[in-house]
Amino acid sequence: MNDSVFHRIYDSYHQDLFQFLIYLVQNRQVAEDLTQEVYIRVLRSYDSFQGNSSEKTWLFSIAKNVAIDHFRKQNVRKKRVFDSFDWEAIQLTSPDMRPEQVVQLDEEKSQLLHYLNSCTGDQKMVIVLRYFQQLSIQETATALGWTESKVKTTQHRAIANLKRFMSNVREGEMIYDK
Amino acid sequence: MTNEKYTDHDVEQLLNSMPKQVDLRAKEDVWNAIKKQSMAPKQKKSKPWLPAVITVAALFVLVLFVQSLLTTLDSTNMESATEMSLNDMSEGSSGATENSGETADSSASMATEESEEEVDAESAKSFGMQFAQDAHLVFAEDPLLQNHTAVPFSLSYQAVAFPVTLLIPNERIQEDFPDGFPTQLELYEAYSTEIDEQALGFDEYLPLQGTVVESERGLEITLPEDHPYDMASATSEVYFNTLQNLFSKNYLQAYLLDEEGQPLEWDQVGPLTDPIELSATGLAYSPIQNAIGEDYLVPYPRTSYDSFEIALNELQAPENSVVEPILPSSIAYVLEETEDTVTFVFDETLTADSMPRRDLVVMIESLIATAASFNKAVIFENWDPAIYPLPEDTRSLVGVNKIVLPSQ
């Protein structure tokens, strides 16, 4: 294990990686384990990093794979492949921890985080990279291995979904108030 | 704002204002955890049960493969420096085939009465039986192909498409298709409903939705409007990989159409005006276990690598945790590559004791399948050939992940 590479990557990107993973899995312990897994893969393949993308997007692409592997493993007992569709569409979340345990959030943000889990896995990753990590469209596309247009489309659909969910909640609150 | 519906701007503003999440651990703690995690052994899945069909098939394969072992080794014993062990294997195999009622005249003639050789024969028989149990590959020399037809097929587990090779008894095909030998498409349509996917340890995925017809330009696949295959990137991936597994050996391209005969609108991609390329080369095959803990060789990820050497790097250090590295760091070798071959010269003689049996077979078969994907034959030097009966040219590989269908 190359500790000098670790120290440099840790100093530059550690909190970004951690934030990406914790918002995806919404479980601190799991995020810690997955962050470590990212480092293991990074250190193992660092020599083969060609520099075709930025180091940061390369790290996020590995973190994305680690997260997908995690959710794939979580679905071990799924009986039908259409459950795996749900994995991508709905279950990209760790059900054992509620959002408010991740961080103290006001109600609105708490709801947003909740409904983020109702987005597809692809949409959730785009939201986390674009808004929480502040990556550009191009950086997000590189990290996810997609085209820029796919990133834009997915982002657009995710925002539309969140807008719909949040508006429904607000509508419900207004009816309740009346 | 509270009396209005959310706008895009509201949602984006809310997303941008989400708090930063911080890992509170000290850097040293993280580093120590990484070192500990990287040294932890991977958990193996248990094998709770084996479906009866597999057990029956395995016994059948066992008998015939021991005979295959015999034939292969007989044909190479004049060329190899390991003549003794090859003869031992032949002798051992003859016993197995006699017990099963199969004929083995040529091998029986090789038998001697010396007790030392009998011990060696027992040992070789044991290797042969282990090989038969562990084998995933179908070569052109496989004696089963004398009365079976190898049909490329696909099974699915956890959104991964597993390529498999169905060995269907010829007599069964003749009964099912009395008017002549069927096409690959007809074979798929006839037998996809007969595979008990769950019993084999896979998800229920076949038969695929929609209709498939052959045309001059390739396959034309018409999908219903509510098909589930473009729901997410994972569903798309498993669908396209399944098409490749099923049809790449017989068809070059597939056209996906809607019920109006127009290019299918694929979610987040748009209309699929270009055909799906079915052929796939330059793949790296790694072992993945299914629901019942059986190893299957799967090109995961489904990436076409530019060279065998790059694919080999992926096999040694996969960038995902779904597959394990197939070559342990303890096995040192020199790789020599030509246009047609890849030769592994092991630093220390590779024997049956060099690594666990399952790992040994997986390593050898993974290298063979990966090399075959580059149209290269594998040659091993400084190894004990008794551990795996390589065909003369491993490019005779017909398919991976053999599943034998019963006669009826």
Side-chain angles (χ1 to χ4, degrees), chain B residues 237-320:
Chain B
E237 189 181 315
V238 74
Y239 179 67
F240 292 131
N241 291 345
T242 297
L243 291 181
Q244 276 192 349
N245 291 344
L246 287 170
F247 301 120
S248 67
K249 290 200 173 171
N250 301 79
Y251 308 94
L252 292 174
Q253 295 175 325
Y255 292 80
L256 296 189
L257 307 171
D258 61 22
E259 287 165 320
E260 307 297 321
Q262 297 302 310
L264 190 70
E265 184 85 15
W266 202 261
D267 189 44
Q268 302 195 26
V269 173
L272 298 177
T273 48
D274 293 328
I276 308 299
E277 296 297 332
L278 295 173
S279 62
T281 55
L283 304 173
Y285 286 79
S286 296
I288 300 183
Q289 292 188 336
N290 67 357
I292 56 173
E294 296 287 348
D295 287 310
Y296 283 76
L297 287 176
V298 181
Y300 185 92
R302 189 75 62 126
T303 303
S304 286
Y305 296 96
D306 291 337
S307 70
F308 177 78
E309 198 170 354
I310 297 172
L312 185 61
N313 288 339
E314 176 63 22
L315 293 176
Q316 284 178 302
E319 290 188 7
N320 64 78

Coordinates of all heavy atoms in Angstrom, one line a residue, chain B residues 237-320:
Chain B
E237 N -28.4 -2.6 -19.5 CA -27.1 -3.4 -19.6 C -27.4 -4.9 -19.6 O -26.9 -5.6 -20.5 CB -26.2 -3.0 -18.4 CG -24.8 -3.6 -18.5 CD -24.1 -3.2 -17.2 OE1 -24.2 -2.0 -16.8 OE2 -23.4 -4.0 -16.6
V238 N -28.2 -5.3 -18.7 CA -28.5 -6.8 -18.7 C -29.2 -7.2 -19.9 O -29.0 -8.3 -20.4 CB -29.2 -7.2 -17.4 CG1 -30.7 -6.8 -17.4 CG2 -29.1 -8.7 -17.1
Y239 N -30.1 -6.4 -20.5 CA -30.8 -6.8 -21.7 C -29.9 -6.9 -22.9 O -29.9 -7.9 -23.6 CB -31.9 -5.7 -21.9 CG -32.7 -6.1 -23.2 CD1 -33.6 -7.2 -23.2 CD2 -32.6 -5.2 -24.3 CE1 -34.3 -7.5 -24.4 CE2 -33.4 -5.5 -25.5 CZ -34.2 -6.7 -25.5 OH -34.9 -6.9 -26.6
F240 N -29.1 -5.9 -23.1 CA -28.2 -5.9 -24.2 C -27.2 -7.0 -24.1 O -26.8 -7.7 -25.1 CB -27.5 -4.5 -24.4 CG -28.4 -3.4 -24.8 CD1 -28.5 -2.2 -24.2 CD2 -29.3 -3.6 -25.9 CE1 -29.3 -1.2 -24.6 CE2 -30.2 -2.6 -26.3 CZ -30.2 -1.4 -25.6
N241 N -26.7 -7.2 -22.9 CA -25.7 -8.3 -22.7 C -26.4 -9.7 -22.9 O -25.7 -10.6 -23.4 CB -25.1 -8.2 -21.3 CG -24.2 -7.0 -21.1 OD1 -23.8 -6.4 -22.1 ND2 -23.9 -6.7 -19.9
T242 N -27.6 -9.8 -22.5 CA -28.4 -11.0 -22.8 C -28.5 -11.3 -24.3 O -28.3 -12.4 -24.8 CB -29.8 -11.0 -22.1 OG1 -29.6 -10.8 -20.7 CG2 -30.6 -12.2 -22.4
L243 N -28.8 -10.2 -25.0 CA -28.9 -10.4 -26.5 C -27.6 -10.9 -27.1 O -27.5 -11.7 -27.9 CB -29.3 -9.1 -27.2 CG -30.7 -8.6 -26.9 CD1 -31.0 -7.2 -27.6 CD2 -31.8 -9.6 -27.3
Q244 N -26.5 -10.3 -26.5 CA -25.1 -10.7 -27.0 C -24.9 -12.2 -26.7 O -24.4 -12.9 -27.5 CB -24.1 -9.8 -26.3 CG -23.8 -8.5 -27.0 CD -22.5 -7.8 -26.5 OE1 -22.0 -8.3 -25.5 NE2 -22.1 -6.8 -27.2
N245 N -25.2 -12.5 -25.4 CA -25.0 -13.9 -25.0 C -25.7 -14.9 -25.9 O -25.3 -16.0 -26.3 CB -25.4 -14.1 -23.6 CG -24.5 -13.4 -22.6 OD1 -23.4 -13.0 -22.9 ND2 -24.9 -13.3 -21.4
L246 N -27.0 -14.5 -26.2 CA -27.8 -15.4 -27.0 C -27.5 -15.5 -28.4 O -27.5 -16.6 -29.0 CB -29.3 -15.0 -26.8 CG -30.0 -15.2 -25.5 CD1 -31.3 -14.5 -25.5 CD2 -30.2 -16.7 -25.2
F247 N -27.2 -14.4 -29.0 CA -27.2 -14.3 -30.5 C -25.9 -14.0 -31.1 O -25.8 -14.0 -32.4 CB -28.3 -13.4 -31.0 CG -29.7 -13.8 -30.5 CD1 -30.4 -12.9 -29.7 CD2 -30.2 -15.0 -30.8 CE1 -31.7 -13.3 -29.2 CE2 -31.5 -15.4 -30.4 CZ -32.2 -14.5 -29.6
S248 N -24.8 -13.6 -30.4 CA -23.6 -13.1 -31.0 C -22.9 -14.1 -32.0 O -22.2 -13.7 -32.9 CB -22.6 -12.6 -30.0 OG -22.1 -13.7 -29.2
K249 N -23.1 -15.4 -31.7 CA -22.4 -16.3 -32.5 C -23.1 -16.6 -33.9 O -22.5 -17.1 -34.8 CB -22.2 -17.7 -31.8 CG -21.3 -17.6 -30.6 CD -20.7 -18.9 -30.2 CE -19.6 -18.6 -29.1 NZ -19.2 -19.8 -28.5
N250 N -24.3 -16.1 -34.0 CA -25.1 -16.4 -35.2 C -25.5 -15.2 -35.9 O -25.9 -15.3 -37.1 CB -26.3 -17.3 -34.9 CG -25.9 -18.6 -34.2 OD1 -25.6 -18.6 -33.0 ND2 -25.8 -19.7 -35.0
Y251 N -25.6 -14.1 -35.2 CA -26.1 -12.9 -35.9 C -25.1 -11.7 -35.5 O -24.6 -11.6 -34.4 CB -27.5 -12.5 -35.4 CG -28.4 -13.7 -35.5 CD1 -28.6 -14.6 -34.4 CD2 -29.1 -14.0 -36.7 CE1 -29.5 -15.7 -34.6 CE2 -29.9 -15.1 -36.8 CZ -30.1 -15.9 -35.8 OH -31.0 -17.0 -35.9
L252 N -25.0 -10.8 -36.5 CA -24.1 -9.7 -36.3 C -24.8 -8.5 -35.6 O -24.2 -7.8 -34.7 CB -23.5 -9.2 -37.6 CG -22.5 -10.1 -38.3 CD1 -22.1 -9.6 -39.7 CD2 -21.3 -10.3 -37.4
Q253 N -26.0 -8.2 -36.0 CA -26.7 -7.0 -35.5 C -28.2 -7.3 -35.1 O -28.8 -8.2 -35.7 CB -26.7 -5.9 -36.5 CG -25.2 -5.5 -36.8 CD -25.2 -4.5 -38.0 OE1 -26.0 -4.6 -38.9 NE2 -24.3 -3.5 -37.9
A254 N -28.7 -6.5 -34.2 CA -30.1 -6.6 -33.9 C -30.7 -5.2 -34.0 O -30.1 -4.2 -33.5 CB -30.3 -7.2 -32.5
Y255 N -31.9 -5.2 -34.6 CA -32.6 -3.9 -34.7 C -33.8 -3.9 -33.7 O -34.6 -4.9 -33.8 CB -33.1 -3.7 -36.1 CG -32.0 -3.5 -37.1 CD1 -31.3 -4.6 -37.6 CD2 -31.7 -2.2 -37.6 CE1 -30.2 -4.4 -38.5 CE2 -30.6 -2.1 -38.5 CZ -29.9 -3.2 -38.9 OH -28.9 -3.0 -39.8
L256 N -33.9 -2.9 -32.9 CA -35.0 -2.9 -31.9 C -36.0 -2.0 -32.5 O -35.8 -0.8 -32.8 CB -34.4 -2.3 -30.6 CG -33.4 -3.2 -29.9 CD1 -33.2 -2.7 -28.4 CD2 -33.9 -4.7 -29.8
L257 N -37.3 -2.5 -32.5 CA -38.4 -1.8 -33.1 C -39.5 -1.7 -32.2 O -39.7 -2.5 -31.3 CB -38.8 -2.5 -34.4 CG -37.7 -2.8 -35.4 CD1 -38.3 -3.8 -36.5 CD2 -37.2 -1.6 -36.0
D258 N -40.3 -0.6 -32.4 CA -41.6 -0.5 -31.6 C -42.7 -1.3 -32.4 O -42.4 -1.9 -33.5 CB -42.0 0.9 -31.3 CG -42.2 1.7 -32.6 OD1 -42.5 1.1 -33.6 OD2 -42.1 2.9 -32.5
E259 N -43.9 -1.3 -31.8 CA -44.9 -2.1 -32.4 C -45.4 -1.6 -33.8 O -46.1 -2.2 -34.5 CB -46.1 -2.2 -31.5 CG -45.7 -3.2 -30.3 CD -46.7 -3.1 -29.1 OE1 -47.1 -2.0 -28.8 OE2 -47.0 -4.2 -28.5
E260 N -45.0 -0.3 -34.1 CA -45.3 0.2 -35.4 C -44.2 -0.1 -36.4 O -44.2 0.4 -37.6 CB -45.4 1.8 -35.3 CG -46.4 2.3 -34.2 CD -47.8 1.8 -34.5 OE1 -48.2 1.8 -35.7 OE2 -48.5 1.4 -33.6
G261 N -43.2 -0.8 -36.0 CA -42.0 -1.1 -36.9 C -41.0 0.0 -37.0 O -40.1 0.0 -37.8
Q262 N -41.1 1.0 -36.1 CA -40.2 2.1 -36.2 C -39.1 1.9 -35.1 O -39.2 1.1 -34.2 CB -40.9 3.4 -35.8 CG -42.0 3.8 -36.8 CD -41.4 3.9 -38.2 OE1 -40.4 4.6 -38.4 NE2 -42.1 3.2 -39.1
P263 N -37.9 2.5 -35.3 CA -36.8 2.4 -34.3 C -37.4 2.7 -32.9 O -38.1 3.7 -32.7 CB -35.8 3.4 -34.8 CG -36.0 3.6 -36.2 CD -37.5 3.4 -36.4
L264 N -37.0 1.8 -32.0 CA -37.6 1.9 -30.7 C -37.0 3.1 -29.9 O -35.8 3.4 -30.0 CB -37.2 0.6 -29.9 CG -37.9 0.4 -28.5 CD1 -39.3 0.1 -28.7 CD2 -37.2 -0.7 -27.8
E265 N -37.9 3.8 -29.2 CA -37.5 4.9 -28.4 C -37.0 4.4 -27.1 O -37.8 3.7 -26.3 CB -38.7 5.8 -28.1 CG -38.4 7.1 -27.4 CD -37.9 8.2 -28.3 OE1 -38.1 8.1 -29.5 OE2 -37.3 9.2 -27.7
W266 N -35.7 4.5 -26.8 CA -35.1 4.0 -25.6 C -35.0 5.1 -24.6 O -34.4 6.2 -24.9 CB -33.7 3.4 -25.9 CG -33.3 2.4 -24.9 CD1 -32.4 2.6 -23.9 CD2 -33.6 1.0 -24.8 NE1 -32.2 1.4 -23.2 CE2 -32.9 0.4 -23.7 CE3 -34.5 0.2 -25.6 CZ2 -33.1 -0.9 -23.4 CZ3 -34.6 -1.1 -25.3 CH2 -33.9 -1.7 -24.2
D267 N -35.5 4.9 -23.4 CA -35.5 5.9 -22.4 C -34.1 6.5 -22.1 O -33.1 5.7 -21.9 CB -36.0 5.3 -21.0 CG -36.3 6.4 -20.0 OD1 -36.8 7.5 -20.4 OD2 -35.9 6.3 -18.9
Q268 N -34.0 7.8 -22.1 CA -32.7 8.5 -21.9 C -31.7 8.4 -23.0 O -30.6 8.8 -22.8 CB -32.1 8.1 -20.5 CG -33.1 8.3 -19.4 CD -32.4 8.3 -18.0 OE1 -31.2 8.6 -17.9 NE2 -33.1 8.0 -17.0
V269 N -32.1 7.7 -24.0 CA -31.2 7.5 -25.2 C -31.8 8.1 -26.4 O -31.1 8.8 -27.2 CB -30.8 6.1 -25.4 CG1 -30.0 5.9 -26.7 CG2 -30.0 5.5 -24.2
G270 N -33.1 7.9 -26.6 CA -33.8 8.3 -27.8 C -34.0 7.1 -28.7 O -33.8 6.0 -28.4
P271 N -34.4 7.5 -30.0 CA -34.7 6.4 -30.9 C -33.5 5.6 -31.3 O -32.4 6.2 -31.6 CB -35.3 7.1 -32.1 CG -35.1 8.5 -31.9 CD -34.7 8.8 -30.5
L272 N -33.6 4.3 -31.3 CA -32.4 3.4 -31.6 C -32.4 3.2 -33.1 O -32.8 2.2 -33.6 CB -32.5 2.1 -30.8 CG -32.5 2.2 -29.3 CD1 -32.7 0.8 -28.7 CD2 -31.2 2.8 -28.8
T273 N -31.9 4.2 -33.8 CA -31.8 4.1 -35.2 C -30.7 3.2 -35.7 O -30.7 2.6 -36.7 CB -31.6 5.5 -35.9 OG1 -30.6 6.2 -35.2 CG2 -32.9 6.3 -35.7
D274 N -29.6 3.1 -34.9 CA -28.5 2.2 -35.2 C -28.8 0.9 -34.6 O -29.3 0.8 -33.5 CB -27.2 2.8 -34.7 CG -26.8 4.1 -35.4 OD1 -27.1 4.2 -36.6 OD2 -26.2 5.0 -34.7
P275 N -28.3 -0.2 -35.3 CA -28.5 -1.5 -34.8 C -27.7 -1.8 -33.5 O -26.6 -1.1 -33.4 CB -28.2 -2.5 -35.9 CG -27.2 -1.6 -36.8 CD -27.7 -0.2 -36.6
I276 N -28.1 -2.7 -32.8 CA -27.2 -3.2 -31.6 C -26.2 -4.2 -32.2 O -26.5 -5.1 -32.8 CB -28.1 -3.9 -30.6 CG1 -29.3 -3.1 -30.2 CG2 -27.3 -4.3 -29.4 CD1 -29.0 -1.8 -29.5
E277 N -24.9 -3.9 -31.9 CA -23.9 -4.8 -32.4 C -23.9 -6.0 -31.4 O -23.7 -5.8 -30.2 CB -22.5 -4.1 -32.4 CG -22.4 -2.9 -33.3 CD -22.5 -3.3 -34.8 OE1 -22.2 -4.5 -35.1 OE2 -23.0 -2.5 -35.6
L278 N -24.0 -7.2 -32.0 CA -24.1 -8.3 -31.1 C -22.7 -9.0 -30.9 O -22.5 -9.7 -29.9 CB -25.0 -9.4 -31.8 CG -26.5 -8.9 -31.9 CD1 -27.3 -10.0 -32.6 CD2 -27.1 -8.8 -30.5
S279 N -21.8 -8.8 -31.8 CA -20.5 -9.5 -31.6 C -19.7 -8.7 -30.5 O -19.8 -7.5 -30.4 CB -19.7 -9.5 -32.9 OG -19.4 -8.2 -33.3
A280 N -19.0 -9.5 -29.8 CA -18.2 -8.9 -28.7 C -16.9 -9.7 -28.6 O -16.9 -10.9 -28.4 CB -18.9 -8.9 -27.4
T281 N -15.8 -9.0 -28.7 CA -14.5 -9.6 -28.6 C -13.6 -8.8 -27.5 O -14.0 -7.8 -27.1 CB -13.7 -9.7 -29.9 OG1 -13.6 -8.3 -30.4 CG2 -14.4 -10.5 -30.9
G282 N -12.5 -9.4 -27.2 CA -11.6 -8.7 -26.3 C -12.2 -8.6 -24.9 O -11.9 -7.7 -24.1
L283 N -12.9 -9.7 -24.5 CA -13.6 -9.7 -23.1 C -12.7 -10.4 -22.1 O -11.9 -11.2 -22.4 CB -14.9 -10.4 -23.2 CG -15.9 -9.8 -24.2 CD1 -17.1 -10.7 -24.3 CD2 -16.3 -8.4 -23.8
A284 N -12.8 -10.0 -20.9 CA -12.1 -10.6 -19.8 C -13.1 -11.3 -18.9 O -14.0 -10.7 -18.3 CB -11.3 -9.5 -18.9
Y285 N -12.9 -12.6 -18.8 CA -13.8 -13.5 -18.0 C -13.4 -13.7 -16.6 O -12.3 -14.2 -16.3 CB -13.9 -14.8 -18.7 CG -14.7 -14.8 -20.0 CD1 -14.2 -14.3 -21.2 CD2 -16.1 -15.2 -20.0 CE1 -14.9 -14.3 -22.4 CE2 -16.8 -15.1 -21.2 CZ -16.2 -14.7 -22.3 OH -17.0 -14.6 -23.5
S286 N -14.3 -13.4 -15.7 CA -14.0 -13.5 -14.2 C -15.1 -14.4 -13.6 O -16.2 -14.5 -14.2 CB -14.0 -12.2 -13.5 OG -13.0 -11.4 -14.0
P287 N -14.8 -15.0 -12.5 CA -15.8 -15.9 -11.9 C -16.8 -15.0 -11.1 O -16.4 -14.1 -10.3 CB -15.0 -16.8 -10.9 CG -13.8 -16.0 -10.6 CD -13.5 -15.1 -11.8
I288 N -18.1 -15.3 -11.2 CA -19.1 -14.7 -10.4 C -20.0 -15.9 -9.9 O -20.3 -16.8 -10.7 CB -19.9 -13.7 -11.1 CG1 -19.1 -12.5 -11.7 CG2 -21.0 -13.1 -10.2 CD1 -19.9 -11.4 -12.4
Q289 N -20.4 -15.8 -8.6 CA -21.2 -16.8 -8.1 C -22.7 -16.5 -8.2 O -23.0 -15.3 -8.1 CB -20.9 -17.1 -6.6 CG -19.5 -17.7 -6.5 CD -19.2 -18.2 -5.0 OE1 -19.8 -17.6 -4.1 NE2 -18.3 -19.1 -4.9
N290 N -23.5 -17.5 -8.5 CA -25.0 -17.2 -8.6 C -25.6 -17.4 -7.2 O -24.9 -17.5 -6.2 CB -25.6 -18.1 -9.7 CG -25.6 -19.6 -9.3 OD1 -25.0 -19.9 -8.3 ND2 -26.1 -20.4 -10.1
A291 N -26.9 -17.5 -7.2 CA -27.6 -17.5 -5.9 C -27.3 -18.8 -5.0 O -27.4 -18.8 -3.8 CB -29.1 -17.5 -6.1
I292 N -26.9 -19.8 -5.7 CA -26.6 -21.1 -4.9 C -25.1 -21.3 -4.9 O -24.6 -22.4 -4.6 CB -27.3 -22.3 -5.5 CG1 -26.9 -22.5 -7.0 CG2 -28.8 -22.1 -5.4 CD1 -27.5 -23.7 -7.6
G293 N -24.3 -20.2 -5.1 CA -22.9 -20.3 -4.8 C -22.1 -21.1 -5.9 O -20.9 -21.4 -5.6
E294 N -22.7 -21.2 -7.1 CA -21.9 -21.9 -8.1 C -21.1 -20.8 -8.9 O -21.6 -19.7 -9.2 CB -22.9 -22.6 -9.1 CG -23.7 -23.7 -8.5 CD -22.8 -25.0 -8.2 OE1 -21.7 -25.0 -8.7 OE2 -23.3 -25.8 -7.5
D295 N -19.9 -21.2 -9.3 CA -19.0 -20.3 -10.0 C -19.4 -20.3 -11.5 O -19.5 -21.4 -12.1 CB -17.6 -20.7 -9.9 CG -17.0 -20.3 -8.5 OD1 -17.2 -19.2 -8.1 OD2 -16.4 -21.2 -7.9
Y296 N -19.5 -19.1 -12.1 CA -19.7 -19.0 -13.5 C -18.7 -18.0 -14.1 O -18.4 -17.0 -13.4 CB -21.1 -18.6 -13.9 CG -22.2 -19.6 -13.8 CD1 -22.6 -20.1 -12.5 CD2 -22.7 -20.3 -14.9 CE1 -23.5 -21.1 -12.4 CE2 -23.6 -21.3 -14.8 CZ -24.0 -21.7 -13.5 OH -25.0 -22.7 -13.4
L297 N -18.2 -18.2 -15.3 CA -17.3 -17.3 -15.9 C -18.1 -16.2 -16.6 O -18.9 -16.6 -17.5 CB -16.3 -18.0 -16.8 CG -15.2 -18.8 -16.1 CD1 -14.4 -19.5 -17.2 CD2 -14.3 -17.9 -15.3
V298 N -17.9 -15.0 -16.3 CA -18.7 -13.9 -16.9 C -17.8 -12.8 -17.3 O -16.9 -12.4 -16.5 CB -19.7 -13.4 -15.8 CG1 -20.6 -12.3 -16.4 CG2 -20.6 -14.5 -15.3
P299 N -18.0 -12.2 -18.5 CA -17.2 -11.0 -18.8 C -17.8 -9.8 -18.0 O -18.8 -9.2 -18.5 CB -17.4 -10.8 -20.3 CG -18.6 -11.6 -20.6 CD -18.8 -12.6 -19.6
Y300 N -17.2 -9.5 -16.9 CA -17.7 -8.4 -16.1 C -16.5 -7.5 -15.6 O -15.6 -8.0 -15.0 CB -18.4 -9.0 -14.8 CG -19.1 -7.9 -14.0 CD1 -20.4 -7.6 -14.2 CD2 -18.4 -7.2 -13.1 CE1 -21.0 -6.5 -13.5 CE2 -19.0 -6.2 -12.3 CZ -20.3 -5.9 -12.5 OH -20.9 -4.9 -11.8
P301 N -16.6 -6.2 -16.0 CA -17.6 -5.6 -16.7 C -17.5 -6.0 -18.2 O -16.5 -6.5 -18.6 CB -17.2 -4.1 -16.6 CG -15.8 -4.1 -16.3 CD -15.5 -5.3 -15.5
R302 N -18.6 -5.7 -18.9 CA -18.7 -6.1 -20.4 C -17.9 -5.1 -21.2 O -18.5 -4.3 -21.9 CB -20.1 -6.2 -20.8 CG -20.3 -6.8 -22.2 CD -20.2 -8.3 -22.2 NE -21.1 -9.0 -21.3 CZ -21.9 -10.0 -21.7 NH1 -21.8 -10.4 -23.0 NH2 -22.7 -10.6 -20.9
T303 N -16.6 -5.1 -21.0 CA -15.7 -4.1 -21.7 C -14.9 -4.9 -22.7 O -14.4 -5.9 -22.4 CB -14.8 -3.4 -20.7 OG1 -15.6 -2.8 -19.7 CG2 -13.9 -2.4 -21.3
S304 N -14.7 -4.3 -23.9 CA -13.8 -4.9 -24.9 C -12.5 -4.2 -24.7 O -12.3 -3.0 -24.9 CB -14.3 -4.6 -26.3 OG -15.4 -5.4 -26.6
Y305 N -11.5 -5.0 -24.3 CA -10.1 -4.5 -24.1 C -9.3 -4.5 -25.3 O -9.5 -5.3 -26.2 CB -9.5 -5.3 -23.0 CG -10.2 -5.2 -21.6 CD1 -11.1 -6.1 -21.2 CD2 -10.0 -4.0 -20.8 CE1 -11.8 -6.0 -20.0 CE2 -10.7 -3.9 -19.6 CZ -11.6 -4.9 -19.2 OH -12.3 -4.7 -18.1
D306 N -8.4 -3.5 -25.4 CA -7.6 -3.4 -26.6 C -6.6 -4.5 -26.8 O -6.2 -4.8 -27.9 CB -6.9 -2.1 -26.6 CG -7.8 -0.9 -26.8 OD1 -8.9 -1.1 -27.3 OD2 -7.5 0.2 -26.4
S307 N -6.2 -5.1 -25.7 CA -5.1 -6.2 -25.8 C -5.4 -7.2 -24.7 O -6.0 -6.9 -23.7 CB -3.7 -5.6 -25.7 OG -3.5 -5.2 -24.4
F308 N -4.8 -8.4 -24.9 CA -4.9 -9.4 -23.9 C -4.2 -8.9 -22.6 O -4.7 -9.2 -21.5 CB -4.3 -10.7 -24.4 CG -4.3 -11.8 -23.4 CD1 -5.4 -12.5 -23.1 CD2 -3.2 -12.1 -22.6 CE1 -5.5 -13.5 -22.1 CE2 -3.2 -13.1 -21.6 CZ -4.3 -13.8 -21.4
E309 N -3.1 -8.3 -22.8 CA -2.4 -7.8 -21.6 C -3.3 -6.9 -20.7 O -3.3 -7.0 -19.5 CB -1.1 -7.1 -22.0 CG -0.1 -7.1 -20.9 CD 1.3 -6.6 -21.4 OE1 1.5 -6.4 -22.6 OE2 2.1 -6.4 -20.5
I310 N -4.0 -6.0 -21.4 CA -4.8 -5.1 -20.6 C -6.0 -5.8 -19.9 O -6.3 -5.6 -18.8 CB -5.4 -4.0 -21.5 CG1 -4.3 -3.1 -22.1 CG2 -6.4 -3.1 -20.8 CD1 -4.7 -2.1 -23.2
A311 N -6.5 -6.8 -20.7 CA -7.6 -7.6 -20.1 C -7.0 -8.4 -18.9 O -7.7 -8.6 -17.9 CB -8.2 -8.6 -21.1
L312 N -5.8 -8.9 -19.0 CA -5.2 -9.7 -17.9 C -5.0 -8.8 -16.7 O -5.2 -9.2 -15.6 CB -3.8 -10.2 -18.4 CG -3.1 -11.1 -17.5 CD1 -3.9 -12.4 -17.2 CD2 -1.7 -11.5 -18.0
N313 N -4.7 -7.5 -16.9 CA -4.6 -6.6 -15.8 C -5.9 -6.5 -15.1 O -5.9 -6.4 -13.8 CB -4.1 -5.2 -16.3 CG -2.7 -5.2 -16.7 OD1 -1.9 -6.1 -16.3 ND2 -2.3 -4.3 -17.5
E314 N -7.0 -6.4 -15.8 CA -8.3 -6.3 -15.2 C -8.6 -7.6 -14.4 O -9.2 -7.5 -13.3 CB -9.4 -6.1 -16.3 CG -10.8 -6.1 -15.8 CD -11.1 -4.9 -14.8 OE1 -10.4 -3.9 -14.8 OE2 -12.1 -5.1 -14.1
L315 N -8.2 -8.7 -14.9 CA -8.4 -10.0 -14.2 C -7.6 -10.0 -12.9 O -8.1 -10.6 -11.9 CB -8.0 -11.2 -15.1 CG -8.9 -11.4 -16.3 CD1 -8.3 -12.6 -17.1 CD2 -10.3 -11.8 -16.0
Q316 N -6.5 -9.4 -13.0 CA -5.6 -9.5 -11.8 C -6.0 -8.4 -10.7 O -5.9 -8.7 -9.5 CB -4.1 -9.2 -12.2 CG -3.5 -10.4 -12.8 CD -2.1 -10.1 -13.2 OE1 -1.9 -9.1 -14.0 NE2 -1.1 -10.8 -12.7
A317 N -6.5 -7.3 -11.2 CA -6.9 -6.2 -10.3 C -8.2 -5.6 -10.7 O -8.2 -4.5 -11.2 CB -5.8 -5.2 -10.2
P318 N -9.3 -6.3 -10.6 CA -10.6 -5.8 -11.1 C -10.9 -4.5 -10.3 O -10.7 -4.3 -9.2 CB -11.6 -6.9 -10.7 CG -10.9 -7.9 -9.8 CD -9.4 -7.6 -9.9
E319 N -11.5 -3.6 -11.1 CA -11.9 -2.3 -10.6 C -13.3 -2.4 -10.0 O -14.1 -1.4 -10.1 CB -11.8 -1.2 -11.6 CG -10.4 -0.9 -12.0 CD -10.2 0.3 -12.9 OE1 -11.2 1.0 -13.1 OE2 -9.1 0.6 -13.3
N320 N -13.7 -3.5 -9.6 CA -15.0 -3.7 -8.9 C -14.9 -4.8 -7.9 O -14.0 -5.6 -8.0 CB -16.1 -3.9 -9.9 CG -16.0 -5.3 -10.6 OD1 -16.3 -6.3 -10.0 ND2 -15.4 -5.3 -11.8

